Structures are given as structure tokens and as C-alpha cells.
Amino acid sequence: EAEQGFCPLDEASLVAYIKATPALASRLGGALDSITIREVGDGNLNFVYIVLSDAGAIVIKQALPYVRCVGDSWPMTRERAYFEASALREHGRLCPDHVPEVYHFDRAMSLIGMRYIEPPHIILRKGLIAGVEYPHLAEHMSDYMAKTLFFTSMIYNTTTDHKKGVAQYCANVEMCRLTEQVVFSDPYRVSKFNRWTSPHLDKDAEAVREDDELKLEAAELKAMFIERAQALIHGDLHTGSIMILPKVIDPEFAFYGPMGFDIGAFLGNLILAYFAQNGHADQANDRKAYKKWILKTIEESWNLFYNKFVELWNKHKEGNGEAYLPDIFNKSDLLSLAQKKYMINIFHDSLGFGAAKMIRRIVGIAHVEDLESIRDANKRALCERATLNCAKAILKGRRQYENIEQLSIELTENT
Ligand code: ADP
Ligand code: SR1
Ligand code: MG
Ligand code: MG
Ligand code: MG
């Protein structure tokens, strides 16, 4: 890498980097001779180091100029680290309880130093695979989504401020294009990146590529993803981006996009976890009670999000937001009608994006551990087919749902 000021770090050079960086050294209590470093990146894109000393701990994340899970044949801008650090700071300001603190950001090095979320806190996806119930998950995630999305929308902000934010994050275009390709395009065409459980799902993958109605719906969502600058979204809010406290990590895809892309990522990944449970069931645990808990969490997450978002709207209705001006929305029944319309649209968007994200995890490039960890290919294929059929039905029929309970009844009846 010839670019000025950048070099990919390894365990040894990271020690030297930390010693030369007071904002990081101080977090380790100055006990720099006792440092141990472990690379733990299990994501698709970046390198993540846990740095421990006798007196403290930090996490260092570095973006290299390519997609990690593919290799240097897929170049990718290191500027993603800048957008990740910016979104961590912005979302952290709006929702400090659920975002890790950024200690240090080095744009030339594409490097972020942040709070270490220590054991026993784990990635939510791992907990869902193990069958662990998190009674406060819906409460906390609805809080995160309501605050980050409401306070970065035009309901709360002036259009001038909103467009400033839009302009800043517009430059995260390479990351958006990655999503456009792997979520909205590749699953619907032949691509060398696609894979699925074969030969079991060969026909199912082909059916996705030949389903005109599905392709029209996916194209509509793709356009919305590109065109709708509704709020500063995380952009990759799957259950691998949530560490249970919860804290939300990894917003490198952040930009001003449709709120439903975040809400749908979270709900869609819970539905993926739901369909994977049959593959994890064994004699000791049939996972039936756990599946009920997942459905309850899906319902509560949406319903609590709805209530909290509208509550914030009512609280700030006389503020600077320019989408619904107080002298126009001056009657409470008119405002509540506007809110109902706004929320039902977000609901349908969330269902659509959630379904699209489920489909890409079955027939696209990046799969999820929930399903991948089912070793028996026959069993896995059955779970995957059920997931895919459910996602296709949701994507096509999303506008028919009036509430989340309808979806959870359908999920119960069909599995
Ligand atoms: P990628 O962008 O490559 O997906 P992530 O930000 O998701 O990288 O991080 C990859 C892994 O590193 C996570 O799954 C988690 O195990 C670990 N990790 C990341 N950030 C932290 C943190 N702040 N504290 C503890 N572990 C972390
Ligand atoms: C090459 S696709 C890699 C995927 O991993 C990231 O976390 C995003 O979900 C992206 O689509
Ligand atoms: Mg990640
Ligand atoms: Mg990432
Ligand atoms: Mg996804």
C-alpha cells in the first residue's frame, strides 16, 4: 500500500502504534509492557484486535483496501473506517447506552480505537444459535432504533441540517454500491459470488432468478435504498452487529437511507434465527419455547419501536423539524393521522428490506452462522428453503400486513 500515512498493522506494529498514541496508551493505564494482542475479526470486511494490559483494555479495528472475506481481488475503499467512526460518534451521542465509545480515530491509517466489550458479552447471533433468551433485547434495540432514526430524520431536523448530513454520508457510495450489488442485484441474477446449499437448493435459487414479481419488488426496494435519504441509518444492522448488553457495533455502511433498511435488518435476522432453530433442535432441547421467545421479541421490537418513535415525535412536535410543520399539523387528529401513515410505511419498508436481506443470506455471497452451523446439509437445506419461501412471500405481500402480530401468526402456522 503506497498511500501516504497508511500501513496495515499486525500484532507487533500495533504495539508500537499504541505506544505512540496517548489516547490509546492512556486507556491501557500506561501498563504497556504487559500488552497482549489477539486478532478476533470474524466479520466479512475488517481486522479487529483485542488489546489487553494489566490495567485496561481496548479494541482496535482497521480497514484494509479490500473485502476481507474475498481477498484483494475485491478492492474496497478504506474510507469506510471514516464513516464507521463518524456514525459511532453520531449515534453514540444520540444513544450512548447502546453504542461503544470511540477513543481514537486515525483517518490515514483507517483505524478506530474503541471500547472493548468484554466477556461474557457476546455477539447476539451466537447467543441466538445457542438458544439464550435476552428478556430486554426488544426494549434496548427499540430504544437504539427509535433514537438514532428519529433524531437524524427531518421530523426532528431542519432541511438545511438534514442535507448537511446527507452530503457528508453521500460519499460512502462505495459501501452503498456493495450493498446494492450483494443484497438487491446478485441474488436475482447469475453471479460468480452467489452460493447456496447445492444441489439441494439449485431449483430454489433458479426460481428466485426467474420470479418476475419478486424481481420487480426487489428493484423497487433497491431504488428506495438508493433514493430515500430518510435518516442516518447504520446500514448493516444484522444480529452479528449487536453485542449483547446490547451495544451496536460496525456501522461502516452508514448513510442517509430508508429507516426500514435498519429495522428490517434486525427483524429479518431474528426471523433467520427463528428458521434456523429446527436445525439446532435436539433431544435435550426441542427449541419450541425458544422459537416462541424469538417471535415475542420480533413483535415487541416493532411495537416498542413504534411507540417510542411516536413518543419522540409528540415530544418534539413544536421543535425545528421541517417535515411536519406545527402550524400546518396543528390539530391532534391530523398529526396522529400523519403519524399512522408514516409508521405504516416504515413497517412495510421494514418487512420488504428484512425479506430481501433474508433472501441474500440463502442464495447470495454472505451467509449467516445461524444456518451455516447446521452441519447436516439435508437438514440445513430444509431450514433454508423454509426461510426463502417465507421471505419471498413477505417481499411480495408486505403491503398487506396491518400489524406485526399477523406476521408472527403466519410464522407459527408455517413452521
Ligand atoms: P466487520 O466489519 O469485519 O464485520 P466487526 O466490527 O463486526 O467487523 O467486528 C468483528 C468482530 O470483532 C465482532 O464479531 C466481535 O466479535 C469483535 N468486536 C468488534 N468490536 C468489538 C468491541 N468493541 N468489543 C469486543 N469485540 C468486538
Ligand atoms: C461481500 S458482502 C459482505 C457483507 O458483510 C457485511 O457485514 C455486509 O452485510 C455485507 O453485505
Ligand atoms: Mg461485522
Ligand atoms: Mg462491518
Ligand atoms: Mg444483511
Side-chain angles (χ1 to χ4, degrees):
E1 176 66 39
E3 282 170 76
Q4 256 200 348
F6 176 77
C7 71
L9 290 171
D10 55 23
E11 277 87 344
S13 51
L14 185 51
V15 174
Y17 183 91
I18 291 166
K19 285 186 175 168
T21 311
L24 298 175
S26 64
R27 296 283 172 177
L28 296 164
L32 301 181
D33 293 331
S34 65
I35 283 183
T36 60
I37 294 184
R38 200 158 43 96
E39 204 280 320
V40 294
D42 59 358
N44 292 324
L45 264 66
N46 301 290
F47 290 79
V48 176
Y49 301 88
I50 293 175
V51 184
L52 303 175
S53 81
D54 288 345
I58 53 174
V59 154
I60 300 289
K61 179 168 178 178
Q62 189 179 34
L64 302 195
Y66 56 85
V67 173
R68 180 179 184 168
C69 68
V70 175
D72 49 19
S73 64
W74 193 334
M76 184 48 58
T77 174
R78 291 187 285 104
E79 273 296 86
R80 62 188 186 268
Y82 163 75
F83 293 104
E84 175 162 351
S86 303
L88 282 171
R89 284 178 168 144
E90 181 60 8
H91 284 166
R93 190 177 67 77
L94 299 172
C95 189
D97 286 349
H98 300 306
V99 181
E101 189 185 341
V102 174
Y103 301 145
H104 169 74
F105 174 58
D106 181 337
R107 194 163 180 174
M109 285 289 280
S110 311
L111 181 147
I112 302 170
M114 69 181 112
R115 177 179 154 189
Y116 170 45
I117 302 160
E118 70 288 356
H121 306 297
I122 57 164
I123 288 285
L124 172 58
R125 194 185 298 290
K126 307 239 182 230
L128 294 167
I129 294 166
V132 183
E133 290 187 19
Y134 298 104
H136 306 297
L137 180 62
E139 186 67 50
H140 289 150
M141 284 307 294
S142 58
D143 188 53
Y144 167 83
M145 294 189 295
K147 286 179 179 155
T148 57
L149 298 177
F150 176 81
F151 287 117
T152 60
S153 77
M154 281 194 297
I155 306 175
Y156 180 73
N157 293 302
T158 63
T159 54
T160 309
D161 285 344
H162 189 78
K163 288 196 185 198
K164 242 184 243 162
V166 173
Q168 183 192 351
Y169 285 88
C170 233
N172 205 11
V173 53
E174 269 199 58
M175 296 300 275
C176 289
R177 286 175 64 87
L178 174 67
T179 298
E180 288 157 33
Q181 178 183 337
V182 300
V183 176
F184 298 109
S185 299
D186 281 355
Y188 306 93
R189 66 182 174 188
V190 174
S191 158
K192 66 174 177 186
F193 295 115
N194 288 341
R195 65 184 182 84
W196 52 83
T197 301
S198 181
H200 314 66
L201 296 190
D202 289 358
K203 288 264 176 318
D204 305 74
E206 191 186 342
V208 169
R209 296 195 300 270
E210 291 186 352
D211 189 330
D212 292 351
E213 194 190 343
L214 198 66
K215 286 160 121 176
L216 284 168
E217 294 298 346
E220 206 167 290
L221 289 170
K222 181 180 180 178
M224 200 195 304
F225 176 79
I226 297 165
E227 296 163 359
R228 182 97 212 250
Q230 198 173 23
L232 176 59
I233 67 171
H234 175 285
D236 199 21
L237 193 55
H238 55 78
T239 48
S241 296
I242 299 163
M243 292 196 73
I244 283 296
L245 301 163
K247 297 263 184 206
V248 175
I249 60 169
D250 197 11
E252 63 189 320
F253 287 85
F255 77 114
Y256 277 74
M259 298 181 188
F261 193 77
D262 272 3
I263 304 159
F266 179 57
L267 299 181
N269 274 264
L270 288 177
I271 302 174
L272 280 169
Y274 175 84
F275 278 105
Q277 295 305 317
N278 287 354
H280 302 310
D282 56 26
Q283 293 207 316
N285 185 348
D286 64 12
R287 300 275 179 134
K288 284 198 176 130
Y290 194 59
K291 284 168 74 173
K292 278 202 181 136
W293 174 79
I294 297 180
L295 290 185
K296 186 167 81 111
T297 301
I298 290 171
E299 289 175 26
E300 286 180 1
S301 294
W302 169 256
N303 288 331
L304 286 169
F305 169 78
Y306 188 119
N307 292 339
K308 289 175 188 189
F309 193 97
V310 172
E311 206 175 289
L312 287 172
W313 190 335
N314 286 331
K315 189 168 164 201
H316 296 282
K317 66 181 182 205
E318 309 288 343
N320 296 329
E322 288 184 298
Y324 295 88
L325 295 171
D327 54 349
I328 297 177
F329 289 84
N330 51 359
K331 293 180 293 192
S332 73
D333 55 341
L334 177 61
L335 182 63
S336 97
L337 184 61
Q339 292 171 336
K340 281 205 181 81
K341 286 179 84 118
Y342 197 92
M343 298 312 285
I344 196 76
N345 284 334
I346 299 184
F347 183 52
H348 293 156
D349 298 349
S350 304
L351 293 177
F353 286 123
K357 283 170 152 267
M358 289 162 66
I359 292 170
R360 61 79 59 115
R361 298 299 190 185
I362 312 290
V363 298
I365 178 176
H367 288 217
V368 286
E369 195 181 336
D370 312 59
L371 292 159
E372 294 293 288
S373 60
I374 303 168
R375 273 195 228 113
D376 178 335
N378 293 315
K379 222 190 223 185
R380 183 172 69 249
L382 285 177
C383 294
E384 289 174 327
R385 182 172 296 126
T387 313
L388 190 57
N389 289 338
C390 165
K392 285 163 67 174
I394 296 175
L395 187 45
K396 292 175 189 175
R398 64 187 184 281
R399 297 175 196 84
Q400 261 96 62
Y401 292 92
E402 284 167 20
N403 54 58
I404 192 85
E405 286 75 18
Q406 283 173 356
L407 175 68
S408 92
I409 289 168
E410 264 178 37
L411 289 170
T412 317
E413 284 169 356
N414 295 331
T415 47

